[in-house]
Amino acid sequence: MSQTTPPLPKTLPIFPLAGVLLLPTGTLPLHIFEPRYRNMVTDALGSGRLIGMVQPRQPEAAFPAGSVDDFEAVYPTGCAGRITDCTETDDGGFMISLNGLIRFKIARELPLEKGYRRVHPDFTGFLRDLEIDLDNDPQFGARGGAGQDRILSVFKEYFSLKGIEADWSELVEWPETALVAALSMMCPFGAGEKQALLECTEADERTDLLVTLMEMAVLGGRDGPDTDTRVTRH
């Protein structure tokens, strides 16, 4: 763990958000406006600045009315992110940026705190996330050969299908880990597909899955939900 990495907490607030994926090294902008999540951000800013992003299995079940001990309503694996930027809005909410730090499994859900959900996170299976060093990660363009040509071709076809704008001369200079994380987060895949990308154990496995999902979309020619139509590195 680097000196800039905050200590891993025993208790973590979670933010169930449908169709939203956070990965280690990724940056996720969020507009926080609901009172319970304003409370969550305020508390996080005062204690480590970490929030866990999780996907609900069904959007309407993300905040169950029943026992909070039953966390089956959300996927059991999420990603903790550190608040690196926070601006208060005129309506009393926040605009925040979360930098993906480390994935976790939900070991146990705790009673509600000021309206938001909290868990005991288990980080033990994901400690390698803390070792990612983008400064020493090879650029995507350094992959070279037929493998890179195939991946780049699929990326371009998928972007054309979805109407996404990108500067390919810039993207090939990104660290491959950061590029794959950014594309996995911003592309309009389904919840199950995003969860599969989150749970990949190796970087190459995530790259292969991302390419496969894009190939399936291109071959099917199906439209996905609206997405941000620009790719930028934060």
Side-chain angles (χ1 to χ4, degrees):
M1 189 183 305
S2 71
Q3 292 181 349
T4 58
T5 300
L8 296 178
K10 295 182 179 179
T11 300
L12 184 70
I14 60 169
F15 189 2
L17 198 56
V20 174
L21 175 65
L22 179 65
L23 288 170
T25 77
T27 299
L28 179 65
L30 292 170
H31 179 203
I32 307 297
F33 55 89
E34 290 188 53
R36 61 179 179 243
Y37 295 125
R38 295 204 302 259
N39 293 338
M40 177 188 69
V41 169
T42 299
D43 290 347
L45 289 172
S47 59
R49 305 174 75 91
L50 294 182
I51 292 173
M53 297 301 301
V54 293
Q55 287 199 109
R57 291 184 182 275
Q58 297 178 350
E60 64 274 12
F63 199 81
S67 169
V68 296
D69 290 329
D70 179 10
F71 52 80
E72 290 298 320
V74 297
Y75 284 98
T77 302
C79 183
R82 185 173 189 270
I83 300 173
T84 55
D85 186 63
C86 180
T87 303
E88 190 169 357
T89 58
D90 292 339
D91 61 1
F94 299 100
M95 293 295 299
I96 68 171
S97 291
L98 274 185
N99 277 11
L101 181 66
I102 180 173
R103 292 167 292 169
F104 64 91
K105 284 190 176 293
I106 296 176
R108 184 166 68 89
E109 186 147 0
L110 302 171
L112 297 180
E113 176 77 15
K114 300 179 184 177
Y116 62 85
R117 296 172 68 173
R118 303 175 304 144
V119 301
H120 280 321
D122 181 1
F123 298 106
T124 53
F126 305 106
L127 295 178
R128 288 175 59 189
D129 291 348
L130 299 175
E131 300 173 2
I132 298 173
D133 181 2
L134 294 182
D135 290 336
N136 292 309
D137 194 56
Q139 293 179 346
F140 173 74
R143 174 185 281 261
Q148 178 186 311
D149 292 343
R150 169 180 169 264
I151 294 173
L152 197 56
S153 175
V154 172
F155 285 176
K156 289 180 177 179
E157 286 187 83
Y158 182 87
F159 278 34
S160 177
L161 175 67
K162 300 299 182 183
I164 303 172
E165 300 175 4
D167 182 347
W168 293 104
S169 63
E170 176 188 345
L171 290 185
V172 295
E173 296 180 357
W174 284 26
E176 184 166 338
T177 299
L179 177 60
V180 171
L183 295 182
S184 297
M185 288 171 57
M186 60 82 63
C187 288
F189 300 128
E193 295 166 330
K194 284 181 177 286
Q195 194 66 25
L197 287 163
L198 173 69
E199 295 180 10
C200 287
T201 56
E202 301 291 341
D204 286 346
E205 180 186 353
R206 182 171 293 127
T207 300
D208 290 344
L209 178 57
L210 176 64
V211 171
T212 297
L213 292 174
M214 287 184 170
E215 285 178 326
M216 291 170 59
V218 169
L219 290 173
R222 67 178 187 271
D223 291 330
D226 291 340
T227 186
D228 188 346
T229 57
R230 294 164 298 158
V231 181
T232 56
R233 187 177 176 192
H234 297 273

